[in-house]
């Protein structure tokens, strides 16, 4: 019963039957504990897992290989790599499952370097990694953006006669796309097809942004055709990715054709189309679609409102944008975030309403970002509001900025007026805060 519920997606009931077992006179064995630990993973309940670990220790099952492997798996998937490593370190005997579980634990929490150290150590100890171990390593590096290492591991895996699974292919393709390495991403898709692996919705969703990067609507249409052939069009994530792809390629009408033909639309579909209209200056279309979305009972989220405010900013619709911004929480039940503040500051600074922008920045309940400061100083430069720029400079001294754009803009204001002493003061402030402007370069 414990096993049946654990393996069929009812971890609470599995734990419940384990509790009944404890109340009886029957003593659990090592198989019981491996199953219960799986149920703890299903619940993502680290504390429950620790309680089970305590029982395992008291009953002397910790030295059992299968139980120790289950403990590593539980701690790793519940995000506690330190406890997983403690179990791993005291194991007298380790098999491929032990090593792979520990490697997966590190990769799962983004510690891919530690995974690689264990991966190499495992091979030195004469244990040959299986396809699952290879897949973990390759996918981990791909997700981190280290495509070269991922590709190197993929080549080694192929030489050992093992084949990557679909998850690994998807991670590789997505990693290369996110790293703007379009040619390699397309080559990987072909390699995957040549290997007889059929792409799924995740493959296509990860691949579609590539068309925007290379500005190739024809390539996007080829993938669109593949979506139809594989019958993935009903998937809302794929259709949203198609809308976004056509938007990035400048094909607004094609994006609308996809949107209007989707039977079931979720918030991502609406956001993609509203964002498409806003990005291409069709603000009235974006606002009408926003109103239609609400009429159809779909509640806007943070992304919807960011897209709408950004559209108002680029179109110079100040009052419309301010009306939306000031009613975000009351009308839409969304708490204003830094992205919304960035849009409204940009909106005000574009039209020279810098006092309003300054007062909003001063009263912001959220983190003040570098982009907000940069937009404000750029507005000060355009509208020659040195007084407000200097007031903001004093405020900046108490902020933890990560990028220098705002202070660079202030330095440029002083430089335009020939006040080189103030330019030097700003540069000194940047050095004091550890901010460095990326050096420019030119090619002859």
């Amino acid at each position: 019963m414990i096993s049946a519920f654990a393996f069929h997606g009812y971890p609470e009931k599995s734990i419940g039957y384990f509790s009944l077992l404890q109340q009886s006179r029957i003593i659990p064995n090592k198989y019981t504990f491996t199953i219960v630990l799986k149920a703890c993973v299903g619940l993502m309940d680290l504390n429950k897992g620790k309680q089970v670990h305590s029982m395992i220790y008291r009953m002397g099952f910790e030295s059992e290989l299968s139980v120790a492997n289950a403990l590593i798996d539980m701690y790793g998937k519940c995000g506690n790599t330190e406890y997983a490593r403690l179990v791993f370190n005291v194991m007298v005997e380790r098999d491929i499952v032990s090593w792979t579980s520990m490697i997966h634990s590190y990769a799962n929490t983004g510690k891919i370097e530690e995974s690689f150290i264990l991966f190499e150590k495992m091979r030195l100890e004469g244990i040959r990694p299986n396809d699952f171990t290879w897949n973990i390593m390759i996918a981990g590096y791909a997700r981190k953006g280290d495509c070269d290492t991922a590709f190197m591991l993929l080549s080694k895996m192929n030489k050992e006669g093992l084949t990557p699974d679909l998850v690994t292919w998807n991670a590789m393709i997505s990693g290369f796309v996110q790293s703007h390495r379009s040619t390699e991403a397309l080559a990987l898709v072909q390699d995957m097809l040549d290997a007889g692996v059929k792409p799924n919705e995740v493959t296509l969703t990860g691949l579609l942004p590539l068309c925007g990067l290379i500005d190739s609507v024809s390539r996007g249409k080829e993938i669109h055709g593949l979506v139809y052939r594989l019958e993935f069009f009903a998937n809302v994530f794929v259709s949203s990715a198609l809308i976004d792809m056509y938007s990035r390629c400048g094909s607004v009408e094609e994006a609308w054709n996809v949107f209007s033909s989707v039977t079931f639309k979720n918030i991502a579909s609406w956001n993609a189309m509203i964002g498409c209209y806003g990005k291409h200056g069709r603000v009235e279309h974006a606002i009408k679609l926003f109103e239609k979305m609400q009429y159809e009972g779909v509640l806007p989220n943070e992304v919807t409102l960011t897209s709408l405010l950004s559209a108002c900013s680029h179109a110079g619709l100040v009052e419309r944008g301010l009306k939306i911004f000031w009613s975000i929480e009351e009308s839409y039940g969304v708490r204003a975030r830094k992205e919304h503040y960035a849009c409204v500051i940009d909106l005000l600074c574009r039209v020279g309403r810098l006092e309003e922008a300054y007062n909003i920045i001063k009263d912001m309940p959220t983190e003040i970002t570098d982009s907000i400061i940069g937009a404000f100083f750029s507005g000060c430069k355009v509208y020659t509001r040195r007084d407000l720029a200097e007031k903001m400079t004093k405020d900046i001294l108490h902020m933890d900025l990560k990028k220098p754009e705002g202070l660079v803009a202030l330095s440029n204001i002083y430089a335009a007026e020939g006040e080189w002493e103030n330019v030097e003061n700003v540069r000194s402030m940047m050095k004091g805060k550890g901010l460095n402007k990326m050096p420019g370069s030119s090619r002859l």
Side-chain angles (χ1 to χ4, degrees), residues 67-256:
V67 176
N69 286 343
L71 281 168
I72 295 170
D73 182 66
M74 182 275 295
Y75 281 125
K77 288 178 178 174
C78 290
N80 197 317
T81 52
E82 292 80 7
Y83 275 68
R85 188 60 189 262
L86 288 173
V87 174
F88 181 81
N89 286 345
V90 298
M91 289 177 72
V92 177
E93 178 191 359
R94 300 187 188 114
D95 61 5
I96 184 62
V97 176
S98 318
W99 288 94
T100 302
S101 294
M102 194 64 236
I103 287 167
H104 186 253
S105 176
Y106 279 127
N108 211 33
T109 51
K111 299 176 181 177
I112 193 65
E113 289 82 7
E114 285 86 345
S115 290
F116 188 74
I117 291 168
L118 275 180
F119 182 74
E120 290 297 304
K121 189 176 179 182
M122 175 183 71
R123 299 177 79 189
L124 287 171
E125 293 195 8
I127 297 177
R128 188 168 178 256
N130 59 18
D131 53 354
F132 187 61
T133 322
W134 281 106
N135 285 324
I136 290 169
M137 294 302 305
I138 296 166
Y141 275 108
R143 291 190 185 104
K144 194 178 179 183
D146 188 349
C147 297
D148 292 325
T149 303
F151 193 77
M152 177 268 291
L153 289 170
L154 181 66
S155 300
K156 286 186 175 181
M157 181 183 186
N158 288 330
K159 286 178 182 177
E160 295 202 6
L162 298 173
T163 308
D165 62 12
L166 181 56
V167 173
T168 301
W169 283 114
N170 287 346
M172 286 283 290
I173 292 164
S174 178
F176 274 95
V177 170
Q178 289 171 22
S179 300
H180 295 194
R181 295 172 65 168
S182 309
T183 305
E184 290 102 325
L186 289 169
L188 279 170
V189 175
Q190 190 59 56
D191 290 343
M192 181 183 76
L193 294 172
D194 291 344
V197 180
K198 183 181 177 183
N200 65 359
E201 297 94 327
V202 177
T203 319
L204 299 171
T205 305
L207 185 61
L208 280 165
L210 175 146
C211 305
L213 293 174
I214 61 177
D215 195 22
S216 175
V217 71
S218 60
R219 182 71 72 177
K221 286 182 176 179
E222 288 177 15
I223 300 172
H224 194 169
L226 185 61
V227 168
Y228 269 105
R229 290 196 298 277
L230 294 173
E231 299 182 348
F232 290 149
F233 191 73
N235 184 285
V236 290
F237 297 104
V238 174
S239 59
S240 299
L242 279 168
I243 295 166
D244 185 63
M245 179 274 294
Y246 281 122
S247 173
R248 290 173 185 268
C249 293
S251 299
V252 180
E253 301 309 321
E254 293 285 359
W256 171 253

